[in-house]
Amino acid sequence: MAQWTSAVGAGQLARLLGSQQDRPAGPGTRRPPAYRALADGIRLLVLEGRVPVAARLPAERELALALTVSRTTVAAAYEALRAEGFLESRRGAGSWTAVPAGNPLPARGLEPLPPEALGSLIDLGCAALPAPEPWLTRAVQGALEELPPYAHTHGDYPAGLPALRAMIAERYTARGIPTMPEQIMVTTGAMGAIDAICHLFGGRGERIAVESPSYANILQLMREAGARLVPVAMAEGLTGWDVDRWRQVLREAAPRIAYVVADFHNPTGALADDDQRRRLVEAARSAGTVLVADETMSELWLDDGVEMPRPVCAFDPAGSTVVTVGSASKAFWAGMRIGWVRAAPDVIRSLVAARAYADLGTPVLEQLAVHWLFSTGGWEQAVQVRRDQARRNRDELVGAVRRELPDWEFEVPRGGLTLWVRTGGLSGSRLAEAGERVGVRVPSGPRFGVDGAFEGYVRLPFTVGGAVAEEAAARLAAAARLVENGGVGGGEAPRTFVA
């Protein structure tokens, strides 16, 4: 019986390997043999999760043709991977990827580090800050006071607690978008909301247009749902969307869904203006595409004088095109797994009906905590604490990276939680691997793209500041030196650092 559970085609593997561009070798630098470079490339793809574990690789002859190398080169690379524990083979069943005994399985998204690892490894993988106290404690205490009446019910509220639905609707109305509670469904975080939307509108094999780059965990969620992702390049810098390109993709590819982050885009930090939002809604309406607008970063402006555009749904008064997703997880705390969907009432009814076969509902106590925050003014005070913390972290991280890595290029966003960095010609995948060895965890650019794009980038979140930011930048510089010197695969041991 075959031990592989999926397969990677020769063309797909060639594209992924082709994205791993390294800086040209300097004088006196020895390049590895071709088979070694190929083995290293495949190993990196497995370690990053871009080629799954237990995925059948192409036959030697097929991959040699796709890469225009000799079959001997591929055979030697496969043999090296087998010797290192990254490949298993059996006559008649082919060869499939593996990880050596004792190695952790690679994360396919951006999973937070376990708390016990934080003493020796600085985590720049997860764009989430600690809870803004005392507001978390006060919210939970307030929720406990409101809990007794709900404890006498079955506790299942597939659309969300009526009081919280009404409060979220009031908040949209206060922003100039009249909204009824019937247009709101409370979900288990924004991920739960988008998962429900994809299952309702997408279906296996459906096209979904996504920004390129886009949020890595959402891209993976869509892949797992069987979607065919259609990337649409962002405009240069922090200027938002290239709407003409969006219009062309929506017209020609006719995707069922388009997913966008208009407010301090993850990972670039771009902020789309009113005109871009209006034109994109018009393009989606003309193409018959459901436009999913992710607003999870919308309250995280960090600089004075930032004038926030109108919400995307403001340009769809009939509610026939735009489905909006919001969340408490970025603006308040990632541990508060409360999200919501705003859509036309018939869409909400369909989402609620489908939920009976998923998770039934969102935890009541957490809903009551968010309701307490919204109804007491605690939300605004907590979010201001979050903005102040993120602003300090951003400024300190930017300063540290500029000092330690002057060749790295980026624009400083005016809001959000992430910095999108061009790494001076180095491979982001190799930087991520080297970073693990010197004590800093950083996600590489290809996690945020489709089919190997953005190899020359990494994403840095505003989650550390002060001395930790300085140390993180120093470790990134050490990782860059390892990559430049061809030392990935060995090199420096992690240094212990206690924040």
Side-chain angles (χ1 to χ4, degrees):
M1 180 179 177
Q3 301 298 306
W4 49 272
T5 56
S6 62
V8 180
Q12 179 188 6
L13 185 56
R15 287 193 298 274
L16 291 170
L17 289 165
S19 71
Q20 297 175 334
Q21 298 300 319
D22 284 319
R23 178 178 292 173
T29 302
R30 294 182 60 187
R31 286 191 174 277
Y35 84 89
R36 184 67 262 174
L38 175 55
D40 286 348
I42 294 174
R43 177 174 53 83
L44 278 173
L45 292 173
V46 173
L47 288 172
E48 281 220 315
R50 289 194 284 145
V51 169
V53 175
R56 186 179 187 274
L57 295 187
E60 294 170 2
R61 187 185 302 277
E62 293 173 3
L63 185 57
L65 287 171
L67 296 174
T68 62
V69 299
S70 72
R71 183 177 176 181
T72 302
T73 296
V74 177
Y78 279 13
E79 182 57 37
L81 290 167
R82 277 190 287 269
E84 296 162 5
F86 286 94
L87 196 68
E88 296 182 11
S89 304
R90 193 171 66 239
R91 187 178 298 276
S95 299
W96 56 92
T97 56
V99 292
N103 279 37
L105 288 175
R108 302 202 61 189
L110 299 178
E111 299 169 0
L113 280 172
E116 61 270 18
L118 294 177
S120 60
L121 195 62
I122 298 175
D123 186 8
L124 297 181
C126 187
L129 290 161
E133 288 288 25
W135 302 110
L136 174 62
T137 298
R138 292 180 183 177
V140 173
Q141 290 170 341
L144 286 171
E145 293 175 2
E146 298 295 327
L147 183 61
Y150 294 94
H152 295 292
T153 73
H154 50 64
D156 288 336
Y157 295 88
L161 295 184
L164 181 56
R165 297 175 72 197
M167 183 63 69
I168 294 170
E170 287 177 19
R171 291 174 65 82
Y172 276 106
T173 299
R175 295 167 68 190
I177 307 139
T179 303
M180 304 178 294
E182 292 79 8
Q183 291 177 263
I184 301 295
M185 181 177 85
V186 180
T187 62
T188 307
M191 293 286 288
I194 293 169
D195 183 56
I197 293 165
C198 287
H199 280 89
L200 179 64
F201 290 108
R204 187 162 292 275
E206 290 280 4
R207 294 186 180 93
I208 299 180
V210 294
E211 295 148 327
S212 183
S214 187
Y215 179 36
N217 285 341
I218 293 296
L219 295 180
Q220 190 58 36
L221 182 155
M222 292 173 175
R223 292 186 188 102
E224 298 287 349
R228 299 162 61 192
L229 301 183
V230 182
V232 186
M234 298 286 290
E236 283 296 316
L238 299 177
T239 55
W241 300 322
D242 183 336
V243 181
D244 290 336
R245 190 173 295 167
W246 269 101
R247 192 183 301 278
Q248 179 183 1
V249 169
L250 295 178
R251 182 177 62 248
E252 295 177 357
R256 186 70 182 93
I257 300 173
Y259 169 76
V260 297
V261 185
D263 302 293
F264 307 119
H265 173 260
N266 187 354
T268 68
L271 179 65
D273 62 28
D274 276 332
D275 183 59
Q276 290 172 325
R277 295 167 191 239
R278 176 184 55 78
R279 292 169 60 206
L280 184 60
V281 171
E282 291 172 354
R285 185 182 297 119
S286 297
T289 297
V290 176
L291 183 61
V292 180
D294 186 334
E295 287 190 335
T296 54
M297 298 282 190
S298 64
E299 296 190 63
L300 289 177
W301 62 86
L302 304 182
D303 292 339
D304 295 333
V306 175
E307 195 167 321
M308 290 301 295
R310 298 172 68 195
V312 176
C313 58
F315 301 94
D316 181 38
S320 59
T321 299
V322 178
V323 175
T324 302
V325 172
S327 172
S329 298
K330 293 297 185 185
F332 185 74
W333 184 47
M336 188 68 77
R337 303 304 304 157
I338 298 295
W340 53 86
V341 178
R342 182 199 180 274
D346 61 318
V347 172
I348 295 297
R349 285 193 294 270
S350 297
L351 289 169
V352 171
R355 192 173 195 178
Y357 307 100
D359 64 356
L360 292 178
T362 302
V364 170
L365 188 63
E366 292 185 30
Q367 293 188 70
L368 289 172
V370 172
H371 182 267
W372 184 92
L373 288 165
F374 285 160
S375 61
T376 62
W379 177 267
E380 285 71 23
Q381 295 177 69
V383 171
Q384 186 58 53
V385 170
R386 170 67 74 242
R387 292 191 196 108
D388 293 343
Q389 186 179 19
R391 183 188 309 111
R392 286 193 301 270
N393 286 355
R394 178 198 64 182
D395 294 346
E396 289 165 355
L397 182 65
V398 163
V401 172
R402 282 177 170 162
R403 284 189 293 274
E404 294 285 346
L405 293 150
D407 291 340
W408 288 17
E409 302 172 24
F410 51 85
E411 292 188 53
V412 181
R414 304 188 70 190
L417 290 172
T418 57
L419 195 67
W420 186 236
V421 181
R422 192 191 301 268
T423 56
L426 297 179
S427 161
S429 298
R430 297 179 191 277
L431 278 167
E433 186 187 13
E436 296 276 351
R437 298 182 179 278
V438 299
V440 60
R441 181 175 186 250
V442 58
S444 66
R447 288 188 178 275
F448 303 89
V450 177
D451 235 4
F454 307 110
E455 184 61 56
Y457 289 82
V458 294
R459 189 195 73 171
L460 305 180
F462 312 144
T463 52
V464 297
V468 185
E470 294 286 347
E471 179 67 12
R475 295 186 187 190
L476 285 172
R481 289 193 295 272
L482 272 179
V483 174
E484 288 175 325
N485 297 329
V488 177
E492 305 172 34
R495 292 171 285 170
T496 300
F497 181 81
V498 180

